[in-house]
Amino acid sequence: MTVSVSIGPRLQMVAKFVPEGSQLGDIGTDHAYLPIYLWESGRIKKAVAVDVHEGPYRSACAAIKGRGLNSVIDVRYGDGLAPIQPGEVDTLTLAGMGGNTMLEIFAAQGLVMSRIKDLILQPQGAEGKVRLTLLQEGWKLIQERYVAEEGRVYIVMHFSRRAGYTGEELQTMVEKCLRKLHVAVTSLESLQKQEQVQELTESLIRKWIWEFGPLCLEDPQEELRVLLHEQKRNLHRTIGEMKKSAQEKVQKRIDEYDLSIRVLEEMETCLFQSV
C-alpha cells in the first residue's frame, strides 16, 4: 500500500487555498508532492506538473509513476506555462520562487493566463510588486496568510477572477491603515523641509503595507511580528555598514533607512498594542 505523501506547513497552506474540483497547473513542481497531496486529498480533478530543471522533472516523473497516477497527473518538462495549453487548467500554484519570476511567467503566456480562474502563490521576494501588479491587471485578492516553516516565515496569497477584494477596495484599506499610523518624525539632516519628511514617511508606510499585505495587517499574525523584527534588523545592519563610508551623499540614505525603522516600529505598536 502506498503511503500518503507528506508536505510541510508551507505547501499545506498552499494546498488549503486550492479550490475543490480544480484542474491544477503546478509550476516549479519539484518532486510533484503538492499535486500528489491534492489528488490524494480529493481536492483536484487532475493536474499538470511542470518543471524547467531536468533533475526535479525526473524526480516528479518517478514519484507519479511509482504511485500509479500517470492518468491524473501529467508531468511536463519546460519553462513556466509554456508546456500548458490554454484552457487545459483553471488553477495555478507557484511556490518557492521569486515574485518577479512569477510575474515574468504570467506575462509570457497571456493566452494561458486568460483561462485561469485562480492563482495560489507563495512568492519569495517582491511580494508588494506581485500584489500591486495582479490587482492592476484585474485580479482580486481573496485571502493571504503567513506560515512558518523551519525558522522562516512565508506568505501564501490566493488571487481569483471571480471573487475577493478589488484593487480599489484594498487601496481604501491601505489609506485607512495610513491614517492610523502616526510616526513621530524628527528633523532629518538630508531633508530640511517638514513637507519632504511627511511625504517620505507616507511613501514608506504605503510601501510596507503592500509588502506585508493589506489583508495580513487587518488580521495580524505573530508571524508578521517576526517579519517586522527581521526587517528592522536588516535595516540596522545596513545602516551600520553605510556609516563606515565618509561620503556625504550616504547620509540621505541613512536618514531614509532610519525613518523606515521608525515606521516599522510604529506599525508593530499599532498592530500588536493589545497583545
Side-chain angles (χ1 to χ4, degrees):
M1 181 178 179
T2 304
V3 179
S4 179
V5 70
S6 176
I7 59 176
R10 180 176 62 93
L11 288 184
Q12 286 180 19
M13 185 65 73
V14 173
K16 181 179 179 182
F17 284 2
V18 172
E20 290 192 23
S22 292
Q23 299 180 82
L24 180 71
D26 184 40
I27 312 304
T29 195
D30 199 18
H31 291 75
Y33 288 159
L34 178 61
I36 291 172
Y37 176 87
L38 286 164
W39 171 259
E40 293 180 345
S41 302
R43 291 187 64 84
I44 60 174
K45 292 180 179 179
K46 67 173 187 177
V48 177
V50 178
D51 210 290
V52 70
H53 301 293
E54 186 174 355
Y57 164 74
R58 293 188 180 279
S59 295
C61 288
I64 298 302
K65 182 178 180 180
R67 307 177 88 82
L69 298 178
N70 297 78
S71 63
V72 290
I73 301 177
D74 188 6
V75 184
R76 299 178 189 173
Y77 181 57
D79 189 7
L81 301 176
I84 296 177
Q85 296 299 313
E88 195 173 15
V89 299
D90 56 28
T91 300
L92 294 178
T93 50
L94 291 84
M97 68 178 71
N100 285 321
T101 300
M102 291 181 178
L103 295 176
E104 289 169 3
I105 287 173
F106 300 152
Q109 296 291 335
L111 287 178
V112 175
M113 289 300 295
S114 69
R115 304 289 292 275
I116 300 299
K117 298 177 181 177
D118 289 272
L119 295 173
I120 294 85
L121 312 177
Q122 186 270 295
Q124 294 182 187
E127 291 87 352
K129 184 178 179 181
V130 169
R131 290 184 180 95
L132 286 167
T133 300
L134 292 177
L135 289 167
Q136 288 167 2
E137 293 177 355
W139 288 90
K140 298 176 183 179
L141 181 59
I142 289 185
Q143 54 189 334
E144 53 184 1
R145 197 75 180 166
Y146 284 110
V147 59
E149 180 177 289
E150 297 183 351
R152 290 191 62 182
V153 175
Y154 303 92
I155 184 67
V156 179
M157 311 169 182
H158 180 185
F159 291 88
S160 177
R161 299 277 192 195
R162 299 167 290 186
Y165 294 91
T166 65
E168 291 77 10
E169 290 170 333
L170 287 169
Q171 187 60 50
T172 298
M173 294 170 64
V174 169
E175 296 304 317
K176 177 183 175 183
C177 187
L178 182 66
R179 290 192 294 272
K180 289 170 62 178
L181 294 168
H182 302 288
V183 181
V185 181
T186 58
S187 177
L188 302 180
E189 293 180 27
S190 61
L191 298 174
Q192 301 299 323
K193 296 181 180 180
Q194 187 63 28
E195 293 80 6
Q196 289 180 289
V197 179
Q198 186 62 36
E199 182 179 336
L200 177 58
T201 302
E202 291 189 5
S203 175
L204 287 169
I205 293 173
R206 286 193 176 90
K207 169 198 168 186
W208 287 118
I209 291 173
W210 284 112
E211 282 297 315
F212 292 127
L215 297 186
C216 291
L217 269 64
E218 283 285 300
D219 180 24
Q221 305 168 245
E222 190 60 30
E223 287 84 357
L224 177 55
R225 192 202 292 263
V226 172
L227 284 182
L228 286 163
H229 288 182
E230 182 179 300
Q231 291 292 348
K232 286 189 288 183
R233 283 196 302 271
N234 291 340
L235 287 168
H236 278 298
R237 189 180 303 115
T238 301
I239 289 173
E241 291 297 318
M242 294 179 74
K243 283 183 176 179
K244 297 176 184 178
S245 173
Q247 299 180 31
E248 290 185 10
K249 63 180 181 180
V250 173
Q251 184 60 48
K252 181 177 180 180
R253 184 67 66 180
I254 290 175
D255 283 346
E256 290 176 0
Y257 285 171
D258 182 64
L259 181 55
S260 198
I261 290 170
R262 279 180 265 175
V263 166
L264 292 170
E265 289 172 343
E266 182 63 24
M267 288 180 74
E268 181 179 5
T269 299
C270 179
L271 293 170
F272 298 97
Q273 56 188 348
S274 60
V275 178

